Each structure stands twice: as structure tokens, then as C-alpha cells.
Amino acid sequence: MSNLTIKSSTRRLPHLVSTSGWLLMLGEVIALGIIVAFTSSTFARHDAIAIVLSIMVAYAMPRLVYSQGRTACRWGQWWLLLVALALAIYTILSIKLWTIDAGCTTQMPHLHSDDGSYYRWALNHYDGRCPEPKISFKGLPLFALWLWKVLGVSIVWPLALNYMFTLLAIVMTGKVAVRLLEHRVEPTSPATIAAVAMLMISLMGFFVSQGVRLQKEAACALGVTLVGYALAGMSRAGNKPSVGQMRRDWAIFLAGCLILALVRTNFTYFAIIGAAMMALSNHCARWKQGAAMAAAAAAITVSFSILFSYTFGQQYRTVDGGDAMALAFKVGIVQQPYLAMIGDYFHYPEWKRLLLMPVTAGVQYIIPFPWIYEGADSSIFSVLPRVRVMWYFVGGVCLHYFLYITIIHYKQSNLGMWAWWPLVTFFIIAYITGGSVSRYILPIQPLFVVIALYVLLQAKHGNYRRSLTIWLIIYTFILAAVLVMCYQTQVDYLNSLEQYYRMKLQHKL
């Protein structure tokens, strides 16, 4: 009887797979219809067609990458589609904000800050229509320039590229999680691990919102996840990969380093650090591969530093601080309470900046604050980056890993040296920037998602469940208290500032 049941189930399986596949395709057609309706009612026909086609092509690559191998499952594909649709709508709204709402065109959008600098640099090198701004890393505007040579000038093409990079980084987060955790959290299936990791990273509002800006974070996140995937293969004790797998790891690692070197060359140092840490790991039998990867990443760093005229003096000043860093990371009016706290940070000696690391790392971790001040912009462009619940949750779980699992239960199974790599990177960024630019840690957030997922799966199987529950309760109270204190400090400062300007205005009158 059981054999008949098995045979009957086997006969029905292709029909079920086919049905679910057709349902997914129907969902994609409906999502496309939503995008077409939205763009056609907002933009002129030419721009609407360009937006729809670019999003379709940009979605196809992550979908294809995710569907390959054992990491794919049907609900993971549905989640990728929902995220792709939400990000597409956000991207379209961004284009509308920078063009129609600002009285501009898709060729000459109204962009601010780094977005505007990259766009103008690409325009200058395309046809010289505007002065060339000074930028350090030219990879992102080069991507835009290459696209324009084929497709013509438009904000649509580079934004669609970043849209694809963001979705690819989400997919690669799942693949990194599978490679690192699969043999450590049995009997959880690879598809489940990948899908949950993708779910967690895509619920980080700041991460996804910055990914579809004309900035470097999307490409950096993809580069970091590619490097992380290659290094995850070295974390398995006694693992002897095939020649084919070794070649794939090298190709993926070098691709990640090249992307990082193109868009933000100083991030390639983190690839060097990661490979060196894996080479020095006491449980890693592949130290030669780690050393070779570190050397290759160093060679790429030097080559692109020369190519982009990113001199050793500039790199030294980045770490050493001084006037240039104080000017580059000067905080605005809203950040004055923090400036009063850390003082003239970039002119402090190294030991004093190291002593301030708990403060700078804490600020880097917690900002941007999950609230909007009265009278400020309350649109989706301000709200989405402040959706911080998942990041705070991931951070709290990771703190349990570093403070409890690796210290008190260090003899038991853990993620080894790989897990310390993103933490070291996090502290280096906090040290260099004084914790004032939380955007710089976005590319390493997928790595922290993998660490947090490991702890959660261990707890699901009965390990560390009690300690994790107690810690998360304590952590929630501490986080809430810190946020309330920050909010009240900020409100008091803004109120006093408003009162000062009112008195000044009355005095003039």
C-alpha cells in the first residue's frame, strides 16, 4: 500500500511543479501589468517603455541566479518577486521625484549630493555638457557612461543597474547562508536557509532604499556577498573542494574584488582582511588559498588605486584623520549633540579614537534614527530608510553570538573566523568615519544576517534558546532606553535652536 502511495505521489509531482511554475509566471505577468499601468499613467510613452523594459531585464538576472542549484524554492521565488515589485515601484517613484516633480527630464534629472556628482561626471565624459566634478571612485559613473553609449542618456539605465545589483545581493545573501550554515544547522534544508536569509535582508529598509539610489552601496553589497561566498567555502574544517569548485571560488572572489575596486576601491581592503583571516584561521586547512586570495585582492587594490589616482597619501589620511577627514565627515545641525559628545574626533591621537570606539560604533549601529521630526519630510523616501526593526533585531541576535556563543561556549560549534570578519570591518568603518556615516556599513549587513540566522536556527533546534530569549528581552529594554534618550536629546536641542533663532529675529526687528 505504501509503495502504491509513493508511486502515485511521484506521478503527481511533475503536475504540481508545473502548476506552481505557471502560478509564478502568472504572478510575474500581474506584477508587470502593475508596473506598466503605473509608468504609463505617470511618464511619457518613451520614458515609460524605457523604465518597463529596464526593470524587466534587471529582474531577469537575479531570478535566473536564484533558480539555479539547491537553494531555490517556490516561496523563495515568490518572495523575490514581491521584493522586486516593491523595489520597482520605489525606483519609479524616485525617477518621478527627480524628473517630473522637479520640472526636469530623465536626461537631466534633479539630483543631490553624491548622486548628482556621479551623474555629472558621466555626462561630462559623455559629451562635455557640464563641468567635471571631483570624485574619488569612478566605477559607478563609468557603468552609467557605458550604458549611455549603447542606450542613450537617461537616469533610468544606471538606476535599473543598481536595482539589479540590489536584487542580486539579496539572492547572494541566501547563497552565502546556505554555504556557511548548511552543515552546521542540520536538518534545515538549503532552500529554507536561503529563503529566510533573503527575507531578513530584504526587510531592512535602509539597505534596500539606498540600493536603488545612484550611489555605490548596491554594487558594494554585491561585491561583499560574492567575496563572502568564496570565503565561506574555506570555513569548512577538512573540506577538500574539487578542482572545478576551487576555480568557481576563485572566479567569484575575483569578481567580487573587481566590483569593489571599481566602485569603492578602499572596500577591497576588507576582502584582503577577510582572506587573510581565513588563511590564519586555526581550523582552515586551505591557508595557501587564503594567502593567495589576499595577495590577489591586494594586487587589484593597488592596480585600481593607480587607475583612479587614489594615492597612498589619500589612503593614509583616510585612516589617520586630520583636516581632510573632518571636512569630509562634518556633521550638520541635527548632529550637533553628537559632535559635542565626541569633540574634535579626527584630530585625536589613535589611542583616544580607539577608546571612543564603543561610542562611534554604537552611533554607527543605531542611525539613521527610526523617527521623523515634526515638520520634516514624511514621504516614503524618508520613511523607508528608517524602517530599522529588522536591522536592530539582527544586531541584537549577532551580539548574543559574539558575547555568549563565542565566549562562553567557544568549544562548541560556531562559525569560526568567518563571523569575525564583518565585525572587524564594522569597527574599522566606525574608527575611520567616527560612526557618522551609517550608509557605509550597508554592504556588510548581509553578512550579519547570515550570523543572526545561524543563532536563530540553533535556537529553533533547542540550542541557546533560553539565553537568547533572556538576552533579547534585556537588549530590547536597553535599545528602547537609548532611542528614547536620543530622541529627547535631539528634540531639546532643536527646540533650543528654534528658540535661539526666534530671539535673534525679534532682536533684528
Side-chain angles (χ1 to χ4, degrees):
M1 183 65 181
S2 61
N3 289 336
L4 291 175
T5 303
I6 293 172
K7 289 178 181 179
S8 176
S9 300
T10 305
R11 283 195 298 268
R12 288 197 303 267
L13 185 59
H15 172 69
L16 292 174
V17 172
S18 175
T19 301
S20 61
W22 278 108
L23 285 174
L24 179 64
M25 290 181 64
L26 177 62
E28 291 173 333
V29 171
I30 293 173
L32 178 61
I34 294 172
I35 294 172
V36 170
F38 187 31
T39 52
S40 61
S41 64
T42 306
F43 296 90
R45 180 181 299 179
H46 178 269
D47 290 335
I49 292 174
I51 292 171
V52 172
L53 290 178
S54 65
I55 288 176
M56 285 176 58
V57 174
Y59 167 72
M61 179 62 73
R63 186 191 190 282
L64 177 64
V65 173
Y66 176 68
S67 64
Q68 303 301 309
R70 300 173 299 117
T71 61
C73 66
R74 200 54 68 188
W75 77 270
Q77 289 179 322
W78 276 103
W79 179 251
L80 180 63
L81 174 60
L82 289 175
V83 173
L85 176 59
L87 274 183
I89 293 173
Y90 187 84
T91 303
I92 295 167
L93 286 172
S94 298
I95 296 172
K96 179 176 177 290
L97 176 69
W98 297 329
T99 57
I100 296 175
D101 293 350
C104 300
T105 65
T106 54
Q107 285 195 358
M108 292 294 292
H110 182 65
L111 298 172
H112 300 281
S113 191
D114 290 346
D115 306 65
S117 296
Y118 298 139
Y119 200 86
R120 290 193 303 274
W121 189 95
L123 279 177
N124 174 269
H125 286 264
Y126 181 78
D127 58 11
R129 72 178 69 177
C130 60
E132 179 181 355
K134 183 179 180 181
I135 59 175
S136 297
F137 309 118
K138 303 173 179 63
L140 184 60
L142 278 174
F143 287 147
L145 181 61
W146 296 334
L147 288 170
W148 292 349
K149 293 290 186 181
V150 178
L151 302 170
V153 175
S154 175
I155 184 63
V156 173
W157 315 125
L159 273 189
L161 183 66
N162 269 1
Y163 171 84
M164 183 184 73
F165 285 158
T166 302
L167 292 179
L168 280 172
I170 291 172
V171 171
M172 284 305 303
T173 302
K175 291 186 177 292
V176 172
V178 169
R179 196 171 201 201
L180 192 68
L181 306 183
E182 180 183 7
H183 62 293
R184 291 182 168 98
V185 291
E186 296 175 355
T188 308
S189 70
T192 299
I193 293 173
V196 175
M198 289 167 57
L199 172 69
M200 293 171 68
I201 188 61
S202 57
L203 288 178
M204 293 188 181
F206 196 29
F207 177 86
V208 296
S209 67
Q210 296 299 300
V212 287
R213 293 278 303 274
L214 200 62
Q215 293 177 348
K216 302 183 287 286
E217 273 59 44
C220 282
L222 177 59
V224 168
T225 52
L226 290 173
V227 171
Y229 180 86
L231 298 183
M234 300 171 60
S235 69
R236 302 185 182 187
N239 178 41
K240 293 183 178 180
S242 64
V243 174
Q245 183 61 63
M246 184 80 78
R247 289 175 178 172
R248 283 193 294 273
D249 283 353
W250 265 102
I252 291 171
F253 179 82
L254 292 176
C257 289
L258 287 171
I259 292 173
L260 292 174
L262 265 169
V263 295
R264 183 174 277 151
T265 308
N266 48 16
F267 257 56
T268 321
Y269 282 107
F270 300 139
I272 300 173
I273 292 171
M277 290 176 70
M278 296 308 302
L280 296 174
S281 175
N282 58 9
H283 67 266
C284 181
R286 294 158 63 181
W287 66 270
K288 291 182 180 179
Q289 181 186 355
M293 283 181 167
I300 291 173
T301 304
V302 172
S303 300
F304 277 83
S305 296
I306 296 171
L307 179 64
F308 292 153
S309 301
Y310 184 46
T311 65
F312 176 77
Q314 288 177 278
Q315 298 177 51
Y316 176 77
R317 286 192 296 272
T318 298
V319 179
D320 190 54
D323 293 335
M325 292 296 290
L327 182 62
F329 297 103
K330 184 179 180 181
V331 290
I333 293 177
V334 179
Q335 290 80 28
Q336 290 306 304
Y338 177 54
L339 183 62
M341 183 187 304
I342 64 171
D344 194 12
Y345 176 83
F346 294 105
H347 291 91
Y348 288 157
E350 287 79 4
W351 63 268
K352 193 170 183 178
R353 280 189 281 170
L354 287 172
L355 288 178
L356 282 171
M357 188 72 75
V359 176
T360 56
V363 170
Q364 179 173 266
Y365 169 75
I366 207 170
I367 59 174
F369 292 123
W371 62 74
I372 297 175
Y373 295 104
E374 185 178 355
D377 177 24
S378 58
S379 67
I380 188 175
F381 304 105
S382 295
V383 172
L384 185 58
R386 300 177 188 279
V387 179
R388 308 281 284 159
V389 176
M390 180 55 73
W391 168 240
Y392 291 151
F393 174 72
V394 166
V397 176
C398 287
L399 283 172
H400 178 267
Y401 174 84
F402 291 114
L403 298 177
Y404 184 80
I405 295 178
T406 61
I407 295 177
I408 297 178
H409 293 275
Y410 66 94
K411 292 184 179 180
Q412 298 183 16
S413 175
N414 56 54
L415 299 178
M417 189 64 76
W418 189 95
W420 292 99
W421 169 47
L423 186 65
V424 169
T425 302
F426 180 93
F427 281 120
I428 291 174
I429 295 172
Y431 175 85
I432 291 175
T433 66
S436 61
V437 189
S438 187
R439 177 164 55 93
Y440 289 173
I441 67 168
L442 295 181
I444 61 173
Q445 284 186 347
L447 308 181
F448 286 109
V449 164
V450 175
I451 299 169
L453 182 56
Y454 168 76
V455 178
L456 294 174
L457 291 174
Q458 288 285 1
K460 179 178 180 290
H461 297 146
N463 301 319
Y464 318 116
R465 185 178 297 173
R466 184 172 180 272
S467 63
L468 178 62
T469 302
I470 294 172
W471 164 247
L472 287 179
I473 293 172
I474 296 171
Y475 166 78
T476 301
F477 278 107
I478 294 173
L479 179 64
V482 171
L483 288 174
V484 169
M485 181 185 67
C486 291
Y487 178 80
Q488 193 58 51
T489 301
Q490 203 69 31
V491 167
D492 291 343
Y493 174 76
L494 291 175
N495 287 338
S496 64
L497 192 65
E498 183 181 2
Q499 187 177 8
Y500 167 77
Y501 281 116
R502 280 181 180 177
M503 292 176 59
K504 194 172 181 180
L505 181 60
Q506 289 177 356
H507 179 71
K508 285 184 176 180
L509 294 176

